Amino acid sequence: MTTVFSRIIAGELPGRFVWQDPEIVAFLSIAPLRPGHTLVVPRREVDRWTDADGALLTRCFEVAQAVGQGVQRAWNAPRAGLVIAGFEVPHLHIHVAPVWDMSDFDFSKAKQEEDQSALAEAAAKLRTALLELDYEQALDVGPGV
C-alpha cells in the first residue's frame, strides 16, 4: 500500500519541500511543533526505522543533521530537536524542528497549519539557510508547492 508520504514525494499531494536527493526528501510538517518543523523521509517505503538497512538509516541521519543545522540557523534556535515516533504514517520519517526547551517536543500541541503562506514562508526561510550552509540539495525542491 502506498503511503501518504510516497504520494507527496510523487507529487500527487502537495508538500513544501526543502531538500531532495536521490534517496531522501525533506518537507515541512503540515502540523508543526514550531515553524520550520520538517520531516526527513526516504523515498523508499520502510515502515519502521528499525527495519531500515544501515546505509539508508545513515543517509536519513545525514540529511536530518543538515536540516537541523538549517532550522537552527533560520530560526536562531539553540538546538535542533529530532524525534522518530513512527505512529502517524507507516513510512520512516524523522521529525526535525527548532527547539528552545523540552516543551517544544509536545506533539499534543501540534495543530494543522491552515495558513499556507506561513508554510511557504517557513520553507523559503529554511531553503535559504540550507543554501547558505552550502547544501545544494535545497535548490531542486521538485514536486509539491
Side-chain angles (χ1 to χ4, degrees):
M1 177 180 214
T2 301
T3 70
V4 67
F5 289 162
S6 291
R7 294 184 65 207
I8 292 169
I9 293 166
E12 297 171 15
L13 295 173
R16 301 286 180 174
F17 287 79
V18 297
W19 183 283
Q20 280 203 94
D21 70 32
E23 294 178 278
I24 309 295
V25 299
F27 48 85
L28 293 189
S29 172
I30 61 169
L33 294 169
R34 282 193 159 268
H37 178 177
T38 303
L39 304 175
V40 175
V41 183
R43 292 178 183 275
R44 183 174 1 133
E45 288 183 9
V46 176
D47 183 356
R48 295 177 295 260
W49 72 272
T50 53
D51 294 336
D53 64 65
L56 180 63
L57 199 55
T58 296
R59 186 66 189 135
C60 286
F61 278 100
E62 289 170 348
V63 173
Q65 183 179 37
V67 170
Q69 292 167 353
V71 298
Q72 276 185 271
R73 181 183 189 103
W75 282 272
N76 197 30
R79 301 263 186 232
L82 184 144
V83 173
I84 301 174
F87 290 103
E88 310 89 1
V89 177
H91 189 145
L92 166 62
H93 57 289
I94 300 173
H95 297 262
V96 180
V99 295
W100 282 259
D101 60 49
M102 289 301 291
S103 67
D104 290 330
F105 292 102
D106 185 351
F107 279 83
S108 70
K109 294 179 183 176
K111 302 272 187 279
Q112 182 150 349
E113 180 59 72
E114 300 296 330
D115 182 0
Q116 293 302 307
S117 66
L119 289 174
E121 288 171 23
K125 187 173 185 174
L126 181 50
R127 279 193 297 274
T128 296
L130 289 166
L131 290 170
E132 288 171 353
L133 291 165
D134 293 324
Y135 293 112
E136 72 272 1
Q137 295 86 345
L139 281 174
D140 179 18
V141 295
V145 243

